[in-house]
Amino acid sequence: MTPRERALAAFRHEVPDRIPAYVRNVMEWQRHASHLGVSTQEDLFAILGNTIRSFAPAPPSSAEMNTDAQPSDGARPRLTIWGIPEDMVGTYTDSIPRPLARAKSAADVEAFDWPSGSDYDFGAMRDQLIAEDQYASLSTSWNPVFSRLCELFGMENAMVNLHTNRPVVEAALARLDHFYTEFYTGILDSCGDQLDIFGLGDDFAGNDGLLIPPDLWRRLFKPLYAKWLGMAKSRGLFTFMHACGNLTDVLPDLIDIGLDAWQTVQTHLDGQGPELLKKAYGSQLTFIGAIDTTNILGRATPDEVRDHVGAQISALGRGGGYICAPDHTIMSEVSSENVVALY
């Protein structure tokens, strides 16, 4: 089987010739590439057995805008289209400028210079997809809603507003709905016939469960995910969602609205053991991930990693429906020997 055939077999809950792998987000990949005698990230991913490749449209150029930040050299920081300094993207701190931090009303939300989801270069993404002949093709899968609210308001403000100032949150969600619907329409219209898998991604859970009450998640966020998954399913695409943490409260909801595959699958969390997940959802959901980056990859011996991987494959891969991968980024403390042992 080809890598693409292997991955798609897992989505169809068929047993492939061997368990497919998904390789992504490898910190210090150059060290592991050197260990294996290759020089590029693409070659590293190939030698580790990757089966899925992600594609994204080229974004609009970032613009220089005024912020509350005052760099020592007097220069204004370059911001993303969401008004966040480029060199601080991905941080979890609220000490950086947040464009909606002072928003108290829907009018304040509307005053923000909201980006357009149609301003991306979808044609270039299509060209890349046409040239791909080896891997299963996945559309960009990190375009969050809950996490974007936290980015725009600051996490503390976002969480408080969800309970004390719902109109300001609903105004922001309406804008995010408009942006992402334009964005996904552009991807599907331009590239839908070349894609295998449609991706979503959002982080709305912690180790012990959702960060907000499940009924609030169902009211505010589930309809948006359902809308976009439905757009993809109407094109005949498989669907994929990245979501960290303990999702047991809403996994049935995600399945009901059309989710085919869940990544990251952190099976060391309470209630998410591999046998439990496979029994409850294995006939409906493909699992992607499940290799423990918290307790195993950076701490265990290569033999212990192999044992862990074998156990996860035995549980989650039974009858098909599993793609082997770490349940988070492969961090810098992970040895090359353990990366090899995993893949």
Side-chain angles (χ1 to χ4, degrees):
M1 301 180 80
T2 67
R4 177 177 182 269
E5 290 169 341
R6 220 167 269 132
L8 296 185
F11 275 81
R12 297 187 186 104
H13 296 264
E14 300 168 354
V15 178
D17 59 343
R18 65 172 185 264
I19 291 291
Y22 183 32
V23 189
R24 60 183 287 277
N25 289 6
V26 181
M27 295 182 68
E28 298 185 6
W29 65 263
Q30 297 92 337
R31 171 165 56 86
H32 307 307
S34 177
H35 178 81
L36 288 167
V38 296
S39 58
T40 69
Q41 183 171 264
E42 183 177 353
D43 287 343
L44 172 66
F45 284 19
I47 203 170
L48 294 176
N50 185 42
T51 61
I52 298 173
R53 184 180 174 192
S54 182
F55 295 84
S61 299
S62 296
E64 291 187 342
M65 301 165 58
N66 287 316
T67 73
D68 294 333
Q70 297 293 331
S72 58
D73 62 3
R76 293 174 179 173
R78 289 183 61 84
L79 305 184
T80 70
I81 61 170
W82 300 104
I84 306 298
E86 281 185 338
D87 60 354
M88 296 180 179
V89 170
T91 64
Y92 288 89
T93 176
D94 275 355
S95 65
I96 67 176
R98 301 293 181 178
L100 298 182
R102 297 185 178 88
K104 301 299 181 185
S105 67
D108 293 336
V109 171
E110 292 297 327
F112 177 59
D113 186 16
W114 289 91
S116 171
S118 60
D119 286 345
Y120 288 71
D121 185 353
F122 302 105
M125 177 178 169
R126 179 177 179 83
D127 291 341
Q128 293 172 353
L129 283 162
I130 290 172
E132 175 55 59
D133 61 1
Q134 184 175 5
Y135 300 105
S137 55
L138 165 69
S139 68
T140 176
S141 57
W142 180 250
N143 299 289
V145 182
F146 174 81
S147 293
R148 189 73 73 203
L149 287 178
C150 294
E151 184 178 79
L152 291 167
F153 286 97
M155 189 165 190
E156 182 176 338
N157 285 335
M159 297 291 274
V160 170
N161 285 336
L162 278 165
H163 295 279
T164 66
N165 192 352
R166 191 70 55 73
V168 77
V169 171
E170 291 175 342
L173 285 174
R175 282 293 196 162
L176 290 173
D177 180 7
H178 181 74
F179 172 88
Y180 284 128
T181 300
E182 284 189 332
F183 180 76
Y184 294 134
T185 298
I187 286 179
L188 293 170
D189 284 350
S190 298
C191 307
D193 63 331
Q194 297 296 320
L195 282 167
D196 296 309
I197 310 161
F198 173 82
L200 292 180
D202 209 352
D203 282 339
F204 44 77
N207 285 357
D208 299 321
L210 298 198
L211 298 176
I212 59 175
D215 60 340
L216 187 58
W217 180 91
R218 293 186 179 102
R219 176 183 171 184
L220 296 180
F221 299 98
K222 180 180 176 180
L224 299 179
Y225 306 136
K227 176 182 181 179
W228 301 323
L229 291 174
M231 289 167 58
K233 298 294 278 189
S234 71
R235 309 285 184 121
L237 299 179
F238 289 115
T239 58
F240 165 113
M241 188 171 194
H242 165 97
C244 294
N246 190 322
L247 302 192
T248 49
D249 284 338
V250 296
L251 270 180
D253 296 85
L254 290 168
I255 292 169
D256 286 344
I257 61 176
L259 186 66
D260 293 317
W262 169 37
Q263 185 266 338
T264 58
V265 194
Q266 293 173 286
T267 61
H268 63 282
L269 303 181
D270 287 344
Q272 286 193 174
E275 295 285 354
L276 288 173
L277 288 176
K278 188 69 173 181
K279 181 178 180 180
Y281 309 111
S283 64
Q284 303 163 290
L285 203 59
T286 292
F287 302 105
I288 304 176
I291 304 306
D292 188 346
T293 57
T294 302
N295 305 293
I296 300 293
L297 275 187
R299 300 181 177 184
T301 66
D303 284 342
E304 290 169 335
V305 170
R306 290 186 188 94
D307 289 344
H308 173 64
V309 172
Q312 299 295 71
I313 289 172
S314 294
L316 295 171
R318 187 172 56 251
Y322 178 51
I323 297 176
C324 187
D327 63 12
H328 211 283
T329 297
I330 295 180
M331 303 299 284
S332 57
E333 66 265 22
V334 179
S335 69
S336 295
E337 290 77 10
N338 278 5
V339 171
V340 171
L342 157 61
Y343 283 112

